[in-house]
Amino acid sequence: MKDNRKDKTIDRNYQEKYRFLIKEYEQVKNKTHPVFKKVKYFYAAHDTDAKSFMKYYNRYKQSGKEEDLLPRKRGPKYKTRRPIPFIENKVARLREKGNNKYEIVNILKINLA
């Protein structure tokens, strides 16, 4: 079976599409586009959501990097919201003793304050 993890075809397609859309968008904004007189016609013709296009456009214009034309991962980074191991162990011991979540919060507030 082919390993597709290193295949960048989708990334290249995204970047190519947005480079084209950005070039057309700037022509519309400069009033030099031969077809579209207003931006709303540009969005309708390319079946693009204005909010998402502007998100990528502004991100790309601020940095100038091609990878900013790609979608980013959503949600928190892996293991970034984990508690300190000391607190995690303390909570586990309190649960073993039969404390509920409200009692655990009160105990931790008293002990850590």
Side-chain angles (χ1 to χ4, degrees), residues 24-34 36-39:
E24 292 241 321
Y25 174 78
E26 289 178 344
Q27 284 181 338
V28 174
K29 292 303 280 182
N30 293 331
K31 300 186 185 327
T32 59
H33 198 280
F36 305 118
K37 300 299 176 198
K38 294 186 178 184
V39 176

Side-chain angles (χ1 to χ4, degrees), residues 5-18:
R5 288 179 289 183
K6 295 180 183 174
D7 186 21
K8 301 292 184 187
T9 304
I10 294 174
D11 294 350
R12 281 194 310 272
N13 289 344
Y14 257 107
Q15 290 171 339
E16 184 179 329
K17 175 187 173 189
Y18 273 98

Side-chain angles (χ1 to χ4, degrees), residues 15-106:
Q15 290 171 339
E16 184 179 329
K17 175 187 173 189
Y18 273 98
R19 278 193 302 260
F20 171 76
L21 290 177
I22 287 171
K23 187 176 88 176
E24 292 241 321
Y25 174 78
E26 289 178 344
Q27 284 181 338
V28 174
K29 292 303 280 182
N30 293 331
K31 300 186 185 327
T32 59
H33 198 280
V35 177
F36 305 118
K37 300 299 176 198
K38 294 186 178 184
V39 176
K40 68 179 181 179
Y41 302 136
F42 162 77
Y43 291 136
H46 292 293
D47 196 28
T48 303
D49 180 49
K51 185 177 178 182
S52 61
F53 175 77
M54 291 308 294
K55 175 178 71 173
Y56 291 116
Y57 177 75
N58 289 327
R59 191 187 309 160
Y60 174 71
K61 282 299 175 183
Q62 284 179 351
S63 71
K65 298 177 185 173
E66 291 285 320
E67 60 263 12
D68 285 330
L69 296 174
L70 300 173
R72 292 184 179 165
K73 290 187 175 184
R74 297 171 53 185
K77 305 281 187 276
Y78 179 66
K79 289 190 176 182
T80 57
R81 298 177 52 170
R82 295 203 44 108
I84 301 169
F86 162 75
I87 295 174
E88 194 171 1
N89 294 335
K90 181 84 171 170
V91 169
R93 281 183 298 215
L94 291 170
R95 283 185 183 157
E96 289 171 0
K97 292 180 181 177
N99 293 312
N100 65 28
K101 63 182 179 181
Y102 303 107
E103 294 169 336
I104 291 172
V105 168
N106 287 331

